[in-house]
Amino acid sequence: MADKNQKIAIYPGSFDPVTNGHLDILERALKIFDRIILAVGDNPGKKPLFTVGERLGILRAVCKGMKNVEIDSFSGLMIEYAKQRNADAIIRGLRAVSDFDYEFQLALMNRNLDCDIETVFIMTAEKYVYLNSGIVKEISRYNGNVKGLVPKEVDSFLMKKFGR
Ligand code: ADP
């Protein structure tokens, strides 16, 4: 049974695919919260490269053996999902100022929908400031080297996806 004293956070995202930048935020979040639920958002409007099922499989492979991490997916309003899962907080990563405007809007909107769940922003390591899933996909699509940007399992999934 879930321990009521445990602090639970949801880390939602597209994770299409997960990068070392996402994992950097996850590791930092694990120092603050007892349990993190990595939640893949099912948002077909974003035209993802990997299906939700594939993204879940990639995350499970990458996070295998990580204690206090659960992998899940959700569709619909993220704040509703967070409530359902009894989350205390939502984790979002911040890279540059360019993230701020959108993230600020999202956090305030989520607070309007439920004022009990706080959004917690965590700053990325400097080396990941310019890293996002889109860049990784572009590099891999044209056979470039994504070493250091994603875990090696992700590189294998990308190569398979691009038919190599
Ligand atoms: P979304 O579609 O929700 O933006 P992403 O998978 O792109 O999904 O990002 C999920 C979260 O991870 C967001 O809060 C984003 O800012 C953060 N994030 C993505 N890449 C990085 C990175 N390199 N460093 C820190 N945070 C990141």
Side-chain angles (χ1 to χ4, degrees):
M1 219 174 76
D3 177 351
K4 286 216 168 58
N5 296 319
Q6 268 199 351
K7 288 280 174 220
I8 301 171
I10 306 277
Y11 181 16
S14 304
F15 303 108
D16 184 42
V18 61
T19 70
N20 286 343
H22 290 125
L23 294 177
D24 179 73
I25 299 295
L26 173 66
E27 276 165 27
R28 292 173 197 278
L30 280 168
K31 292 185 204 157
I32 309 173
F33 293 94
D34 299 303
R35 198 149 66 88
I36 307 286
I37 302 173
L38 270 175
V40 175
D42 185 6
N43 182 353
K46 289 206 167 174
K47 296 209 172 74
L49 175 67
F50 293 101
T51 65
V52 171
E54 286 170 332
R55 282 179 270 160
L56 287 171
I58 297 172
L59 280 169
R60 289 202 178 103
V62 169
C63 299
K64 200 170 158 207
M66 273 193 198
K67 269 198 346 205
N68 307 325
V69 177
E70 181 187 329
I71 315 289
D72 196 11
S73 64
F74 68 97
S75 51
L77 273 182
M78 190 270 297
I79 198 79
E80 288 302 324
Y81 170 75
K83 257 196 268 189
Q84 240 177 52
R85 299 303 315 265
N86 291 319
D88 300 284
I90 293 157
I91 303 288
R92 294 291 288 176
L94 278 185
R95 283 158 291 193
V97 183
S98 51
D99 278 338
F100 186 79
D101 200 36
Y102 172 69
E103 294 293 343
F104 194 65
Q105 266 184 42
L106 198 67
L108 286 182
M109 192 48 68
N110 281 331
R111 184 182 279 166
N112 278 334
L113 295 168
D114 188 318
C115 58
D116 289 333
I117 303 179
E118 281 302 327
T119 299
V120 175
F121 293 107
I122 298 184
M123 252 177 68
T124 187
E126 275 161 285
K127 60 184 171 184
Y128 301 132
V129 162
Y130 297 107
L131 176 58
N132 61 58
S133 302
I135 286 177
V136 165
K137 285 182 277 192
E138 279 314 289
I139 296 174
S140 183
R141 184 187 302 275
Y142 299 111
N143 212 1
N145 187 355
V146 292
K147 198 163 167 253
L149 304 180
V150 293
K152 59 181 186 329
E153 296 91 336
V154 175
D155 194 12
S156 311
F157 280 103
L158 281 164
M159 292 212 283
K160 208 167 144 206
K161 190 59 128 181
F162 292 124
R164 294 199 298 277

